[in-house]
Amino acid sequence: MRSTGQDQAKKLDIWQKLHLDLPLLLGLLSLMTLGLFVVYSAGGQDFDLVVRQGVRLGVALLVMFIVAQIPPQVYFKWAVPTFVIGLGLLVAVLLVGTVGKGAQRWLNLGFMQFQPSEVMKLIVPITIAWFISQHDLPAKLGNIVIAFILVLIPTLLIAKQPDLGTSLLIASSGIFVIFLAGASWKLIGTCVGLASAFTPILWMFLMKDYQKQRVLTFLDPEKDPLGSGYHIIQSKIAIGSGGLYGKGWLQGTQSQLEFLPERHTDFIFSVFSEEFGLVGVTALLLVYLAIVMRGLWIAVNAQEAFTKLLAGSITLTFFVYVFVNIGMVSGLLPVVGVPLPLVSYGGTSMVTLMAGFGILMAIGTHRRFNAQ
């Protein structure tokens, strides 16, 4: 008769052979399940919306599973070709891309609309991790400068579409790799100073009028409470009215009476806060924290510099997703259109996010599997 310890070891071995990290998978499934309930409430109790979200979650999970089967060495080998192809696609978007909602972000492939900036969320950190890992660590100044340039090129191309939210996420994914590679605080401070000096140029020549308006609204939303400041004011009212325990599922007045804009996408955190209160928000943040900690654990235990840097960047970029969305709807950051990961209703961004978690699982499980 087998012991309990042997049974547990066999179960763990099965998950490793499937290249799935069980603690990380459980955290992701918890968020997805919770997200379906919140989408139902935020979407006006539209069950069809929940079904569509469920289908998208299923596709995202399938993509994660497929990506997890690919050894990290493959990502290392194809880093440069995919980066070059990605840049070519971004240029093609600016030249012949499809325009929608005032932005030129998609390529019409005939059978579907393809958004190259989404795949760059993964290609950029893979490429920067590949480049940095080719040299001794901590990274020297010259290599860091080259890495910054590699990050800057796709960031500017995407900002030109314009898509400020995605460009900032892509920039952060690459910068995290550089930071994890051992960039000194002095160098980081210098870069921050240069970025601050660049801000007037960004404001005067690169930012669109609606982007400037978002910043002005962030600084003083009460200046135009029925216009540009209406959304963020209603969002803060919803968050605050939830109190300690919330009003209950499907009982939020701001969301059910449609005071909140984009309540099932960008502002879904406001709906959740109103219905579940501080206790619910704390529980949600703990789930996000558990996922981030597991991702960092995988990064720390990775055996090679490339996989360490890549896993760390993917995990910290996921943290930025969460931080930016919550900060945005709470009035702590300007509105940039970043969804709440795995809770907001969405499609393409969710698939990209889950593909990133597939890479994380590949780094963790292939390492352990190959080490046996």
Side-chain angles (χ1 to χ4, degrees), residues 21 33 41 68 75 87 114 127 134 140 152 178 183 200 218 232 249 257 266 280 293 305 311 335 370:
D21 184 89
T33 303
S41 176
Y75 301 113
L87 290 182
F114 175 63
T127 304
Q134 298 295 298
K140 293 182 173 57
L152 186 63
I178 298 171
F218 157 69
I232 191 62
W249 186 49
L257 298 178
D266 293 349
M293 294 303 294
V335 176
N370 291 336

Side-chain angles (χ1 to χ4, degrees), residues 129-244:
W130 169 85
F131 175 76
I132 293 291
S133 64
Q134 298 295 298
H135 307 87
D136 294 333
L137 297 179
K140 293 182 173 57
L141 178 60
N143 294 330
I144 290 175
V145 171
I146 294 174
F148 266 116
I149 294 174
L150 292 175
V151 174
L152 186 63
I153 295 172
T155 299
L156 291 178
L157 287 174
I158 294 170
K160 185 69 175 176
Q161 294 179 358
D163 190 350
L164 184 59
T166 300
S167 65
L168 291 176
L169 289 172
I170 288 176
S172 65
S173 69
I175 291 173
F176 280 136
V177 176
I178 298 171
F179 173 75
L180 295 171
S184 66
W185 286 106
K186 181 179 179 180
L187 178 60
I188 293 173
T190 301
C191 292
V192 171
L194 292 174
S196 300
F198 182 72
T199 300
I201 298 175
L202 178 67
W203 180 270
M204 294 296 296
F205 301 106
L206 297 179
M207 292 183 68
K208 303 290 184 180
D209 289 340
Y210 78 91
Q211 293 172 333
K212 294 179 181 179
Q213 186 59 51
R214 286 179 177 179
V215 175
L216 295 175
T217 300
F218 157 69
L219 295 174
D220 187 11
E222 283 75 18
K223 184 177 181 180
D224 187 12
L226 298 179
S228 60
Y230 178 81
H231 293 173
I232 191 62
I233 291 173
Q234 296 301 320
S235 177
K236 290 194 289 186
I237 290 174
I239 293 173
S241 65
L244 184 59

Side-chain angles (χ1 to χ4, degrees), residues 241-249 272-281:
S241 65
L244 184 59
Y245 298 106
K247 297 177 179 178
W249 186 49
F272 182 86
S273 300
E274 184 180 25
E275 295 187 351
F276 297 98
L278 179 61
V279 173
V281 168

Side-chain angles (χ1 to χ4, degrees), residues 341-357:
L342 303 179
V343 176
S344 293
Y345 180 83
T348 307
S349 61
M350 184 190 307
V351 172
T352 305
L353 187 66
M354 291 301 289
F357 281 115

Side-chain angles (χ1 to χ4, degrees), residues 275-339:
E275 295 187 351
F276 297 98
L278 179 61
V279 173
V281 168
T282 302
L284 176 65
L285 293 180
L286 286 175
V287 176
Y288 278 123
L289 178 62
I291 292 174
V292 170
M293 294 303 294
R294 186 63 181 179
L296 292 177
W297 184 90
I298 292 174
V300 168
N301 288 277
Q303 292 183 331
E304 300 175 349
F306 170 73
T307 50
K308 283 181 180 289
L309 295 173
L310 180 56
S313 174
I314 291 173
T315 302
L316 293 176
T317 303
F318 174 75
F319 168 78
V320 170
Y321 266 93
V322 179
F323 178 80
V324 170
N325 178 270
I326 295 177
M328 177 183 78
V329 302
S330 304
L332 302 176
L333 295 172
V335 176
V336 292
V338 175

Side-chain angles (χ1 to χ4, degrees), residues 17-20 25 58-72 74-75 122 351 354-363 365-366:
K17 289 180 179 179
L18 289 174
H19 301 297
L20 296 176
L25 180 61
V59 172
L61 281 170
L62 178 60
V63 169
M64 182 201 72
F65 177 77
I66 294 173
V67 171
Q69 310 310 305
I70 304 173
V74 175
Y75 301 113
L122 297 177
V351 172
M354 291 301 289
F357 281 115
I359 294 175
L360 259 183
M361 293 186 182
I363 291 172
T365 59
H366 278 278

